């Protein structure tokens, strides 16, 4: 991939991610985004989980991919399309806002290796600035694997109209999808946010 092509893809991902994920970040709820609908209405009746869900957790399914995760409430889904050189890529974001902050996951219908996970992270951080919600930076970036799939974890910190905010993010590269897991909220709720994110990561299942 040439530098120009990589930069162009990154810019497109940044702009489109801002549109699709705008509603998942607490400080960006006013940003124009596709109208949300109840995720449960879009998902088929799930099969009983092999392990009991956490108390208050709602199993949320992305119907096209079968990817599931347990969220702390009934999720809303935002849908959008990312223009890429090879054609548009559909994306869906399932998010829940809680008193502590927001958490959820996104599914991009593209092979995970189509874009380096480091670029996906940079694209997301850049996208936050496009929402006009404040500043965002990532640190403590570390590579890992999830069920043999390449993954990238990072910590997030930012500043918005409500003050300091923190969060965690994970990107997972699958053969058919790029998956993002995100938890973000006020810094004062950092302990609760970390617990929510761990529950999200533990429950996330990619067929």
């Amino acid at each position: 991939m040439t530098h120009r092509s990589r930069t162009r893809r990154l810019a497109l991902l940044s702009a489109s991610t801002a549109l699709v994920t705008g509603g998942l970040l607490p400080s960006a709820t006013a940003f124009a985004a596709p109208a949300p609908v109840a995720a449960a209405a879009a998902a088929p009746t799930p099969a009983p989980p092999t392990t009991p869900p956490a108390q208050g957790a709602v199993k949320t399914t992305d119907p096209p991919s079968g990817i599931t995760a347990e969220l702390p409430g009934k999720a809303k889904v935002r849908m959008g399309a990312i223009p890429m050189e090879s054609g548009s890529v559909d994306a869906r974001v399932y998010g829940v806002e809680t008193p502590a902050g927001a958490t959820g996951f996104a599914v991009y219908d593209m092979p995970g290796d189509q874009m380096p996970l480091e670029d996906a992270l940079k694209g997301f951080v850049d996208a936050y600035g496009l929402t006009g919600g404040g500043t965002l930076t990532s640190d403590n970036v570390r590579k890992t694997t999830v069920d043999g799939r390449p993954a990238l974890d990072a910590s997030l910190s930012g500043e918005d109209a409500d003050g300091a905010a923190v969060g965690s993010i994970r990107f997972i590269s699958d053969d058919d999808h790029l998956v993002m897991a995100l938890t973000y909220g006020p810094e004062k709720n950092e302990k609760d946010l970390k617990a929510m994110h761990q529950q999200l990561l533990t429950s996330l299942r990619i067929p």
Side-chain angles (χ1 to χ4, degrees):
M1 183 186 301
T2 66
H3 176 72
R4 181 178 179 181
S5 174
R6 177 174 172 175
T7 301
R8 185 177 177 185
R9 287 190 181 189
L10 189 54
L12 290 171
L13 178 64
S14 299
S16 301
T17 301
L19 286 170
V20 178
T21 64
L24 182 53
L25 296 172
S27 61
T29 53
F31 186 77
V37 297
T45 302
T50 54
T51 56
Q55 186 173 1
V58 177
K59 185 175 181 180
T60 304
T61 303
D62 174 57
S65 66
I67 294 171
T68 65
E70 292 172 11
L71 300 178
K74 190 175 182 179
K76 293 180 179 179
V77 58
R78 280 175 167 78
M79 302 181 184
I82 299 174
M84 301 289 280
E85 292 174 351
S86 58
S88 65
V89 173
D90 291 332
R92 297 165 298 283
V93 179
Y94 301 85
V96 173
E97 288 196 39
T98 75
T103 186
F105 67 100
V107 179
Y108 300 89
D109 292 339
M110 57 184 274
D113 60 2
Q114 188 170 334
M115 177 175 290
L117 297 181
E118 294 85 354
D119 284 4
L121 174 62
K122 184 178 186 305
F124 179 82
V125 171
D126 291 347
Y128 187 85
L130 298 178
T131 69
T135 61
L136 185 69
T137 59
S138 62
D139 59 14
N140 193 25
V141 179
R142 53 216 182 271
K143 293 182 178 181
T144 185
T145 58
V146 176
D147 295 330
R149 300 178 177 92
L152 188 75
D153 287 326
S155 300
L156 302 173
S157 58
E159 190 79 24
D160 57 33
D162 298 322
V166 296
S168 303
I169 192 168
R170 169 176 283 180
F171 285 96
I172 304 173
S173 174
D174 182 48
D175 290 341
D176 301 311
H177 303 93
L178 176 66
V179 181
M180 178 183 74
L182 170 70
T183 305
Y184 192 73
E187 186 178 40
K188 64 182 181 180
N189 300 331
E190 185 171 8
K191 183 177 179 180
D192 291 339
L193 292 169
K194 286 184 176 180
M196 277 201 304
H197 193 66
Q198 186 57 51
Q199 171 60 30
L200 174 61
L201 298 185
T202 300
S203 67
L204 186 63
R205 295 288 181 270
I206 303 174

